[in-house]
Amino acid sequence: MHALTDLEDGAILRVVAERGGQPFQARQILHWIWKHGVERFDQMRNVPAKLREALASDHVMRATSIAKVDDANDGTKKLLLGLHDGETVECVIIPDGERTTLCISTQVGCPVGCVFCASGMFGVRRNLTAGEIAEQVLVAKQQLGTGRRLTNLVVMGMGEPMLNLDNLLPALQRIHDPDGIDMGARRITVSTSGYPRQMERFAAADPSWNLAVSLHAANDELRSKLVPTATSPVRDIVAAAHRYFGQKGREVTYEVVLLEGINDRPEDAVALVSTLASMPCTVNLIPWNPVAEIAASKGLRRPAVGRVDAFAEALRNGGLKVTVRRQRGADRSAACGQLRLRQLTGT
Ligand code: SAH
Ligand code: SF4
């Protein structure tokens, strides 16, 4: 069974026409799905019952269903979504003052295999479809109810967005569409572990989303230990990010997941400064969120606050703009990929 959320506008028009419906009815259906976020056929009140029934005979409304909701004490809400083939992915709602940010996934698992990340532990199972990606926003909005509005979207969940651009780009268009979810491009940030060619393609697409690059280290040898499948040198990744800024006028954020004694040493700060100081950018330091299985097998540690502050200071002294991410959702499995990991390992 196909999900209506997986159909592009042209396909919805066709499916509706094949069942005797008119183009304006196809547009009404699109509104119900994406603007009003309904999840049942009978909620599409102005669509004739006969057309609804014809659609329901071989379509479902949505491609995902909530398998688990995990509330942290700080208000962070993690959703585990079940997919039609039994796979699961996560998205996370993060309230912070006036802001409410949603973090969404693009793949089931991840092929990149960064040593510190739960999402990459078992490789990638498959790409999410455009509908499965965009639908995460509908599900999150429903969870929020009328009390809070989603203000920001980050594509920082499971998976490497640049390796699923075929589905990510239409999903972002769907999320941005003023006739649907209507989220401004400035409020949307896509994070990549660095694929220069795909970053070029991302840059060629309209409109201008924000780009974040997970750099972790400016030194190629160290970076290749943290991101073992990385094939592009830091120089090429930073050049692609800089071109993105040139084309789009959007300052790039570089993310650095800090691991004690590995990439939080004074010389690591020096390398970042010499690589990035001439670029208009911000460095976001993310103290590693421990994943028990990884901490035990690889001996990785989250640095103490003092070390993080000293690292931030060294970058600032070198002329970089720096932000430090607070730990969120810490009492549950906070970092993306951990809820699914707990499900897979039965812990
Ligand atoms: N694959 C993309 C987007 C998803 S990961 C990327 O790597 O950028 C989003 C961010 O979460 C990345 O910066 C990644 O390094 C970080 N991350 C992954 N696991 C983490 C963990 N256990 N603790 C802290 N940050 C983590
Ligand atoms: Fe994949 Fe990003 Fe995790 Fe690396 S950090 S394994 S690229 S999801």
Side-chain angles (χ1 to χ4, degrees):
M1 280 250 203
H2 285 295
L4 291 186
T5 50
D6 257 329
L7 303 184
E8 289 180 6
D9 292 9
I12 292 255
L13 277 162
R14 207 168 47 245
V15 165
V16 167
E18 282 164 7
R19 285 153 185 79
Q22 301 296 316
F24 79 92
Q25 289 170 321
R27 280 190 294 277
Q28 286 174 334
I29 291 168
L30 281 163
H31 265 171
W32 283 116
I33 300 168
W34 295 108
K35 201 178 172 82
H36 306 297
V38 302
E39 53 177 341
R40 292 197 325 269
F41 286 91
D42 63 3
Q43 289 172 299
M44 303 196 278
R45 280 179 277 106
N46 57 2
V47 178
K50 233 177 103 197
L51 179 54
R52 279 188 266 145
E53 279 155 23
L55 283 171
S57 70
D58 51 0
H59 288 83
V60 287
M61 290 284 290
R62 291 195 182 172
T64 71
S65 57
I66 295 185
K68 193 170 193 298
V69 179
D70 210 6
D71 285 298
N73 289 339
D74 62 3
T76 301
K77 199 187 259 277
K78 270 198 160 200
L79 309 175
L80 188 70
L81 302 182
L83 311 178
H84 67 86
D85 54 359
E87 299 287 358
T88 51
V89 284
E90 297 179 23
C91 58
V92 190
I93 303 169
I94 310 155
D96 189 9
E98 296 284 284
R99 273 186 179 212
T100 302
T101 302
L102 173 68
C103 175
I104 62 170
S105 296
T106 52
Q107 297 181 306
V108 181
C110 181
V112 182
C114 301
V115 291
F116 49 80
C117 175
S119 299
M121 279 178 74
F122 303 109
V124 67
R125 303 277 300 179
R126 69 169 172 88
N127 283 335
L128 294 188
T129 64
E132 287 166 339
I133 296 171
E135 218 179 279
Q136 295 171 61
V137 182
L138 295 182
V139 174
K141 281 178 71 168
Q142 224 167 349
Q143 282 288 315
L144 286 174
T146 48
R148 268 190 106 95
R149 218 169 54 84
L150 269 189
T151 57
N152 296 75
L153 181 74
V154 293
V155 185
M156 295 188 184
M158 294 168 50
E160 170 46 52
M162 293 300 144
L163 298 181
N164 188 14
L165 279 181
D166 283 349
N167 295 333
L168 176 65
L169 292 175
L172 290 179
Q173 294 297 352
R174 193 52 102 189
I175 293 164
H176 176 60
D177 184 358
D179 244 3
I181 294 173
D182 193 19
M183 194 172 234
R186 283 179 179 274
R187 297 176 174 278
I188 301 179
T189 302
V190 177
S191 173
T192 177
S193 57
Y195 288 82
R197 259 191 316 122
Q198 287 84 344
M199 286 158 75
E200 302 279 349
R201 184 174 158 208
F202 183 67
D206 270 337
S208 303
W209 331 100
N210 299 306
L211 179 68
V213 176
S214 298
L215 200 61
H216 310 312
N219 159 323
D220 279 312
E221 202 188 317
L222 174 55
R223 189 171 195 273
S224 67
K225 289 193 180 122
L226 301 174
V227 189
T229 59
T231 47
S232 301
V234 167
R235 181 178 6 103
D236 293 356
I237 296 171
V238 172
H242 192 54
R243 278 195 298 278
Y244 191 84
F245 169 73
Q247 261 174 279
K248 302 290 205 180
R250 293 289 170 85
E251 242 181 56
V252 170
T253 300
Y254 288 96
E255 296 159 287
V256 176
V257 172
L258 286 176
L259 298 158
E260 188 180 292
I262 295 178
N263 66 345
D264 70 341
R265 303 162 305 172
E267 61 262 43
D268 300 316
V270 169
L272 282 169
V273 167
S274 73
T275 304
L276 299 179
S278 61
M279 309 279 174
C281 66
T282 298
V283 177
N284 186 16
L285 298 179
I286 312 172
W288 183 54
N289 222 319
V291 180
E293 290 81 348
I294 296 177
S297 64
K298 302 209 173 88
L300 301 183
R301 285 186 308 274
R302 173 188 173 91
V305 175
R307 278 184 83 101
V308 175
D309 288 347
F311 197 83
E313 206 44 38
L315 296 184
R316 287 192 186 108
N317 289 339
L320 290 172
K321 273 188 279 179
V322 183
T323 54
V324 179
R325 188 182 292 175
R326 281 193 295 138
Q327 190 167 23
R328 301 298 308 257
D331 56 340
R332 305 302 284 169
S333 32
C336 277
Q338 292 189 39
L339 193 58
R340 172 169 172 267
L341 176 66
R342 289 213 328 248
Q343 197 215 25
L344 290 175
T345 57
T347 53

